[in-house]
Amino acid sequence: MNPLTITILFVTAYLAVFLTAKMAGMISFLGTQIDLLPALIVYAGLTTSPIVIAGLAIWCGLLSDTLSANPLGITINPLLLIGLVVYHRKELILRDQAYAQFILGAAATAASALITVLLLIATDHRPLIGWGSIWQLMIQALAGGCCAPLCFQFFDRIHRTFNYQPVPESSFRSDREIKRGRA
Amino acid sequence: MFKRPQYIALSVVLLLALIFISLPSRTTAHLKIALGSLFLPLFGLAGSTQKVLDQGSVALRSKRSLVQELEQLHLENEQLRIFTNQTAQVWEENNQLRQALTWQRQARWPLKPARVILRDPANWWRSVHIDLGHRDGITTNMPVLTTDGLVGKVILVGYNNSQVVLIGDPNCRVSALIEDLDRSSSTRKPASPVSHGVIVSGESSILDPTIVDLTYIDRQTPLKPGQRVLTSGLGGVFPRGIPIGQIADSSSVGYGLYLDARVKLSANLAHLDQVWVMTQ
């Protein structure tokens, strides 16, 4: 992945954090906020290096915690963990299949929320959780799953636009062509 | 698999995260304010887009409906002026009587209007950002309300925006006072003793931000749905008498040691747009 695509990934993360906080209507409509960051981390995990994944996790975690009442830095760890797990298993993941992207996005979103809550409890904070949180987690995971294929499509298009495309190879060679008839 | 430099980079990230988590709350607040300034261009962009949309919606409305609305607002303004004059007289009379009884004079609530610009992206906190900050004289712990009732308090102040923790969040505890049902109605019965409680969180209704839990209520208190709940003034953050909501239902807890109640908030926290910050 070239530096420009990585920059676009970071800018998208910045906009995603702001959009998540701006989508206040979701709270009254679905009863939950939608998290767009795990889908981005999944994409980064499948296409970039661990250094970029770590940088993106720090960037997303700090920005998200800035707009939230979360203690600063708590969201870095779940995002980093998800990114690294996806990176570690990327050879086994069918990244071009939409259903695989959906499942990865949904699982990453649910895991991110769960790990963050566990970390909050472990660091002596009292997050607002109850039976309704199961519904929130389900909707959040579903939305995260839907976001992941869109995220893949968007970045794949950007990647195609800003990178040289491989020339299609053919078995035909003009110097080996048998020319029939008189020259 | 990972290579050695990558392991080092990952260890650095984990260490960094741990350092951030273990920083003192004051330093964290400063860092949050500094990082929050990264969003200033987007705040500006969102604000101007909103303004353009508002202007567009006004331009699309017919002159007739605008004139009609203006007339209605004139009428309402006149009524409010008469009501304010009446209230001023009652206020003065109340203060004179308080002075005669050597009670402390009641102060008016100095309020500043603010607009809600962002919501907490996490589901496990209830907080919002408003467009007032240091430059507008906002400080932490200032109460925030709507015309319907209490909304929360300011917890973090930036240069031109602040974070408000909403009532129902575990970090916003409010000492509350339950008014007797007869007293809250228009009947002229003498004031009966009231009961106190503490609003702790909205754990019983995660999906409905307009319901919060009121706990540690005296077990002898006869609670009825519809009883008004107000701030008690204890604790020093919220002045006495700000409406919070009404009792929805109650139950005995702690082996009958005290009562818990669910309170339907007067302010609709799911649709917050314009709020008022009490600046003193």
Side-chain angles (χ1 to χ4, degrees):
Chain A
M1 192 178 258
N2 68 7
L4 185 70
T5 319
I6 293 170
T7 312
I8 292 172
L9 191 66
F10 277 69
V11 172
T12 311
Y14 166 70
L15 293 174
V17 172
F18 186 77
L19 274 179
T20 309
K22 198 72 187 160
M23 285 189 292
M26 288 292 171
I27 282 272
S28 49
F29 183 61
L30 297 170
T32 178
Q33 291 277 53
I34 285 168
D35 195 0
L36 306 169
L37 298 180
L40 280 176
I41 277 287
V42 165
Y43 179 80
L46 287 174
T47 53
T48 62
S49 66
I51 306 291
V52 176
I53 297 166
L56 190 67
I58 294 176
W59 176 245
C60 293
L62 288 180
L63 288 181
S64 178
D65 293 339
T66 298
L67 295 185
S68 160
N70 277 338
L72 196 67
I74 204 106
T75 320
I76 296 174
N77 293 320
L79 293 176
L80 181 69
L81 189 74
I82 290 162
L84 290 183
V85 169
V86 172
Y87 176 80
H88 189 60
R89 298 278 169 193
K90 71 176 177 183
E91 306 302 332
L92 304 173
I93 295 168
L94 302 170
R95 61 147 290 179
D96 293 328
Q97 302 295 320
Y99 75 89
Q101 294 166 0
F102 175 84
I103 290 167
L104 273 176
T109 310
S112 165
L114 279 174
I115 297 168
T116 310
V117 168
L118 286 176
L119 280 174
L120 282 169
I121 293 167
T123 51
D124 211 18
H125 290 88
R126 276 199 60 199
L128 195 62
I129 45 173
W131 288 110
S133 305
I134 297 170
W135 166 260
Q136 288 183 330
L137 194 68
M138 276 164 51
I139 297 295
Q140 225 179 358
L142 204 66
C146 293
C147 285
L150 297 175
C151 184
F152 273 76
Q153 273 184 14
F154 173 71
F155 281 105
D156 283 348
R157 185 161 290 183
I158 283 176
H159 190 69
R160 278 198 302 273
T161 312
F162 294 109
N163 281 286
Y164 292 111
Q165 293 305 303
V167 179
E169 284 181 19
S170 163
S171 57
F172 175 75
R173 285 177 62 177
S174 55
D175 56 330
R176 292 285 178 95
E177 190 181 10
I178 299 165
K179 294 194 174 165
R180 298 185 188 278
R182 289 175 190 168
Chain B
M1 274 305 286
F2 304 138
K3 291 169 192 166
R4 199 165 167 236
Q6 290 167 350
Y7 272 119
I8 294 168
L10 297 178
S11 313
V12 168
V13 174
L14 283 176
L15 193 70
L16 199 72
L18 278 174
I19 290 170
F20 273 125
I21 293 166
S22 54
L23 280 174
S25 55
R26 208 172 157 183
T27 316
T28 313
H30 285 301
L31 275 172
K32 274 194 174 190
I33 291 164
L35 281 166
S37 61
L38 287 172
F39 289 103
L40 283 179
L42 293 182
F43 281 135
L45 191 70
S48 29
T49 312
Q50 184 69 42
K51 208 177 270 182
V52 168
L53 285 174
D54 289 346
Q55 282 172 353
S57 69
V58 169
L60 285 173
R61 288 178 71 179
S62 69
K63 197 178 169 186
R64 197 175 160 185
S65 74
L66 284 173
V67 170
Q68 219 168 14
E69 195 178 317
L70 191 69
E71 276 174 9
Q72 206 177 339
L73 285 172
H74 268 306
L75 198 71
E76 203 175 314
N77 194 21
E78 291 295 315
Q79 282 174 343
L80 284 172
R81 270 189 190 172
I82 295 166
F83 182 70
T84 310
N85 286 337
Q86 277 180 341
T87 318
Q89 283 173 10
V90 173
W91 185 269
E92 198 49 48
E93 198 178 292
N94 183 30
N95 274 335
Q96 280 171 4
L97 289 169
R98 278 178 162 267
Q99 211 170 2
L101 289 167
T102 63
W103 284 12
Q104 202 181 7
R105 278 175 76 94
Q106 270 193 324
R108 285 183 191 272
W109 296 340
L111 300 168
K112 269 195 178 176
R115 194 171 273 271
V116 173
I117 47 175
L118 288 179
R119 263 191 179 271
D120 200 314
N123 282 319
W124 41 86
W125 306 119
R126 285 183 186 166
S127 74
V128 292
H129 286 255
I130 56 169
D131 64 350
L132 294 184
H134 269 309
R135 66 168 182 189
D136 309 291
I138 305 296
T139 55
T140 50
N141 284 334
M142 280 183 171
V144 180
L145 49 145
T146 63
T147 46
D148 297 321
L150 187 68
V151 165
K153 65 175 181 180
V154 176
I155 52 159
L156 195 66
V157 187
Y159 176 67
N160 61 355
N161 63 76
S162 312
Q163 193 172 11
V164 175
V165 62
L166 302 180
I167 188 167
D169 185 281
N171 295 319
C172 183
R173 292 188 165 212
V174 186
S175 173
L177 178 148
I178 304 158
E179 217 176 49
D180 191 76
L181 195 60
D182 293 334
R183 202 184 165 197
S184 56
S185 67
S186 56
T187 53
R188 290 176 179 230
K189 281 193 175 180
S192 334
V194 288
S195 189
H196 286 81
V198 181
I199 287 183
V200 282
S201 69
E203 273 172 11
S204 62
S205 56
I206 297 285
L207 300 176
D208 187 1
T210 60
I211 295 212
V212 294
D213 301 334
L214 179 64
T215 187
Y216 304 125
I217 308 164
D218 184 6
R219 63 179 172 179
Q220 311 266 310
T221 312
L223 286 180
K224 291 171 206 156
Q227 272 180 290
R228 279 202 337 148
V229 181
L230 311 164
T231 51
S232 72
L234 299 174
V237 174
F238 302 101
R240 188 187 170 105
I242 305 174
I244 296 174
Q246 289 186 331
I247 298 283
D249 52 33
S250 62
S251 59
S252 173
V253 286
Y255 302 102
L257 281 175
Y258 56 91
L259 297 174
D260 264 8
R262 294 198 313 156
V263 176
K264 176 84 180 161
L265 293 176
S266 305
N268 188 355
L269 301 189
H271 295 282
L272 280 179
D273 184 29
Q274 177 95 34
V275 292
W276 298 85
V277 184
M278 205 181 281
T279 52
Q280 215 168 19

